[in-house]
Amino acid sequence: MSSKILIFITILVVLVVSNFSLTTSDIVSDRTTLLSIRSALRGRSLLWNITSPTCSWPGVICSQDKSSVLELHLPGMGLSGQIPSGLFSNLTKLNFLSLRYNSLSGMIPNDLFTPLLDLKNLYLQHNSFSGPIPGSIFNLTNLVRLNLAHNNFSGSIPESFNNLRGLGTLYLHENGFSGQIPNLDLPGLIQFNVSGNNELNGSIPSKLSGQPKDSFLGTSLCGKPLDLCGEGQNGKKKKLSSGAIVGIVIGCVVGLVLLLLLLFFCCCRKKSGNNQETRSADVAGVNNKNVEVEIPEEKNVESTNGSGKDGFLGSAIAAMGVGRANKDKGKVEGVLGDGKSLVFFGKMAKNFNLDDLLKASAEVLGKGTFGTAYKAALESGITLVVKRLRDVTVPEKEFREKIEEVGKMNHENLVPLRAYYYSRDEKLLVYDYVPMGSLSALLHGNKGAGRTPLNWETRAGIALGAAHGIAYLHTQGPLVSHGNIKSSNILLTKSYEARVSDFGLAQLVGPSSTPNRVAGYRAPEVTDPRKVSQKADVYSFGVLLLELLTGKAPTHAVMNEEGVDLPRWVQSVVREEWTAEVFDLELLRYQNVEEDMVQLLQLAVDCTAQYPDRRPSMTEVTSRVEELCRSSFIDSGGDIIDNAEVQTA
């Protein structure tokens, strides 16, 4: 009996030692490959302590038994140089690879990805890779998300993408691809973008026609969702029949006659109107050369053509003010006719003046907390945003001092103030135009079938960008705060980078402007919305994080419980330990990010603590979001959906 026990123990020891040997061998092999990667790709040293276990290295995710590396996340690590052939040869279990936002260059070896048959997520965007797409990519049949955007790839887009039947995200924008888009038949494809490849031409394949228009801008493509392809697109020019030519000629003649009649009618009306004006001016005892035309109320100015477009900025501003204006292409008298001019900040290019601004075609973007914002398209081609402030209560000297401080704010995550205009009746602020609109519109806008989901990486990247911008404001002095943090004040560039707007304005306006601006975002201790502390900013930012995670607008009651604000609802759900119910359904579709979502949720809960002293500072908040993004393999540049990939990583 004892001999049998001894044999059993011997076999068990052999199995354990054998298994340990295999495991050790696997991880040693992977470790050697990782060290080769660090040696081959120049740049700042990867933060890998070779005396520590491989699976504890930043960006390295191992299997549960620590036997192999499953994920490698190296975004924004300053890596540079060309990738040598066979660099990833031993990482055969890898399913996630992110090298985005580095300075890697050159052609990718054709066999580089051959061993990585388990790869599901590949992110190479924002590098300087060139040449054609390596053929080994088309053997990665498990690939779900592929981002090659913002590189120098060239050549045609291969039809071999059809091998990747599970592909859900394909980003190829901002490269040098040419020729036509092949007929891609990818049943799971949700996010697709080839914009910025100006040598792409031909018609858009029918299976891609449901993608957003932005996915094809900056190309020579045609067809839905862009303009229809013209006749003769494929070189087959059709001659018009003689009957068609006769019809066109007759139509032109008839149209010309109608146009002349219309002009004659307009001239008659104008002459009649001028006579009536002259008679009215004579009765009033004034010279008709100085007659000023009354402008309708603001509500009429914004809807002159049903959209707020095609008016002149000067006329719109005058119409909203107490003065009067001539209808002569935006020239304003009595409102901006005080001889004052625009005041520019620092080294801002002074390539336009007040007259240029007033003559700009204007489109109403919306009425915000502090006034009405216009998109102003100057004749020179520059596009700006002009905000007409209302209810400014501070005297001129204080206004100029405060606005000068705002103008000095310079950070990549802030919307810079380019210039301002001050007069007794009008205060105008001039900003750069940020093309993608606000985070609020992106989160709560189109909810229909054509909506592009806002993925986890994009949301985290937006949170990090906004945190950086607000934290910068707080470093400008202990009393400097934003005072009006909300999703409609987080604007997005074309690459979905966050830009914080409307900072520094809360102290300029009277109480009549404040009631609605903080609904859902205001910290409980704030009684005067014009006096918001930095810790109150943190609370508002916490609500913004909850909005990103839940997809719910904090200005509306949730769960059909009137009066229950978003932070209280989230806390009640978390207490019941059904945390998954909190998250936006659009986020739950992305795998392997649940832990990161929960961490960001915990940060949002900390930010919205009832008492200010229990909230972290914005510097700490930024560090925590940055660490989360790094461990989650996101950096501050997040692409949206780069247009929507689960972008990731």
Side-chain angles (χ1 to χ4, degrees), residues 24-38 48-57 60 62 67-69 90-91:
T24 303
S25 175
D26 283 349
I27 200 65
V28 166
S29 175
D30 287 1
R31 180 187 181 94
T32 301
T33 299
L34 293 176
L35 292 175
S36 297
I37 292 173
R38 186 172 72 167
W48 292 345
N49 185 348
I50 58 175
T51 64
S52 302
T54 304
C55 297
S56 68
W57 292 353
V60 177
C62 294
S67 65
S68 56
V69 174
N90 291 324
L91 301 178

Side-chain angles (χ1 to χ4, degrees), residues 486-643:
K486 55 184 180 180
S487 59
S488 58
N489 281 337
I490 307 299
L491 306 184
L492 304 172
T493 67
K494 288 184 178 179
S495 55
Y496 293 87
E497 296 169 345
R499 299 287 186 269
V500 180
S501 68
D502 269 21
F503 53 91
L505 305 184
Q507 296 79 26
L508 300 177
V509 299
S512 62
S513 297
T514 58
N516 295 324
R517 81 166 183 235
V518 288
Y521 295 90
R522 184 169 62 187
E525 73 275 10
V526 175
T527 56
D528 185 348
R530 294 170 296 174
K531 300 177 181 178
V532 176
S533 68
Q534 292 185 351
K535 284 301 180 75
D537 271 355
V538 172
Y539 182 95
S540 300
F541 182 75
V543 177
L544 180 71
L545 292 180
L546 294 178
E547 190 173 359
L548 276 165
L549 290 167
T550 66
K552 298 181 183 294
T555 51
H556 298 110
V558 294
M559 298 294 289
N560 296 318
E561 298 178 40
E562 196 67 36
V564 177
D565 62 19
L566 189 55
R568 285 166 54 200
W569 175 72
V570 168
Q571 290 165 12
S572 68
V573 171
V574 171
R575 277 197 301 270
E576 296 296 329
E577 297 185 358
W578 38 294
T579 307
E581 296 294 326
V582 164
F583 297 117
D584 189 345
L585 292 178
E586 289 184 354
L587 284 177
L588 296 178
R589 63 193 296 173
Y590 303 112
Q591 300 177 355
N592 304 322
V593 298
E594 293 87 350
E595 183 179 346
D596 301 321
M597 289 160 55
V598 170
Q599 288 185 39
L600 192 61
L601 180 68
Q602 183 58 58
L603 175 58
V605 171
D606 292 345
C607 290
T608 54
Q610 185 77 7
Y611 300 104
D613 58 353
R614 295 183 181 177
R615 301 171 199 153
S617 67
M618 275 309 301
T619 300
E620 182 183 348
V621 170
T622 304
S623 297
R624 288 173 64 178
V625 178
E626 200 163 40
E627 179 61 31
L628 172 66
C629 288
R630 186 172 295 282
S631 66
S632 178
F633 327 121
I634 306 172
D635 65 33
S636 62
D639 298 334
I640 182 169
I641 322 187
D642 212 43
N643 230 6

Side-chain angles (χ1 to χ4, degrees), residues 263-300:
L263 289 173
F264 178 76
F265 177 72
C266 290
C267 289
C268 290
R269 289 197 61 184
K270 184 177 180 181
K271 183 176 180 181
S272 174
N274 287 341
N275 289 338
Q276 186 174 354
E277 272 188 21
T278 302
R279 288 194 298 270
S280 299
D282 288 341
V283 171
V286 296
N287 189 315
N288 62 7
K289 291 183 180 178
N290 297 322
V291 171
E292 295 172 334
V293 181
E294 294 287 354
I295 299 295
E297 295 297 323
E298 176 178 352
K299 60 183 179 182
N300 295 327

Side-chain angles (χ1 to χ4, degrees), residues 101-299:
Y101 283 92
N102 284 291
S103 300
L104 299 170
S105 60
M107 293 179 60
I108 297 177
N110 205 44
D111 61 349
L112 183 66
F113 303 109
T114 299
L116 310 183
L117 296 180
D118 288 342
L119 202 62
K120 294 181 179 178
N121 301 276
L122 178 58
Y123 300 101
L124 303 178
Q125 68 265 38
H126 288 277
N127 280 284
S128 298
F129 292 119
S130 58
I133 298 174
S136 55
I137 280 184
F138 306 117
N139 297 323
L140 306 179
T141 54
N142 290 313
L143 206 59
V144 176
R145 302 182 186 97
L146 175 62
N147 192 335
L148 304 178
H150 293 275
N151 279 286
N152 299 315
F153 288 112
S154 58
S156 60
I157 297 176
E159 194 168 359
S160 302
F161 275 119
N162 285 321
N163 297 345
L164 311 180
R165 303 297 294 171
L167 203 61
T169 297
L170 177 58
Y171 286 136
L172 304 174
H173 51 287
E174 301 299 336
N175 277 287
F177 293 113
S178 58
Q180 299 187 3
I181 300 177
N183 288 319
L184 298 181
D185 184 14
L186 300 171
L189 190 65
I190 298 174
Q191 300 158 340
F192 178 81
N193 196 332
V194 291
S195 63
N197 290 281
N198 55 24
E199 293 188 21
L200 281 179
N201 54 58
S203 59
I204 296 171
S206 59
K207 291 186 180 295
L208 299 176
S209 61
Q211 294 291 329
K213 186 176 181 179
D214 289 350
S215 297
F216 305 99
L217 297 179
T219 69
S220 298
L221 296 165
C222 62
K224 189 177 180 183
L226 302 179
D227 296 334
L228 296 179
C229 298
E231 292 185 359
Q233 181 82 20
N234 298 320
K236 297 179 180 179
K237 296 184 179 180
K238 298 181 179 180
K239 293 184 178 180
L240 292 174
S241 65
S242 57
I245 294 174
V246 172
I248 292 173
V249 171
I250 294 174
C252 290
V253 172
V254 172
L256 181 60
V257 172
L258 290 175
L259 181 61
L260 291 173
L261 289 174
L262 181 61
L263 289 173
F264 178 76
F265 177 72
C266 290
C267 289
C268 290
R269 289 197 61 184
K270 184 177 180 181
K271 183 176 180 181
S272 174
N274 287 341
N275 289 338
Q276 186 174 354
E277 272 188 21
T278 302
R279 288 194 298 270
S280 299
D282 288 341
V283 171
V286 296
N287 189 315
N288 62 7
K289 291 183 180 178
N290 297 322
V291 171
E292 295 172 334
V293 181
E294 294 287 354
I295 299 295
E297 295 297 323
E298 176 178 352
K299 60 183 179 182

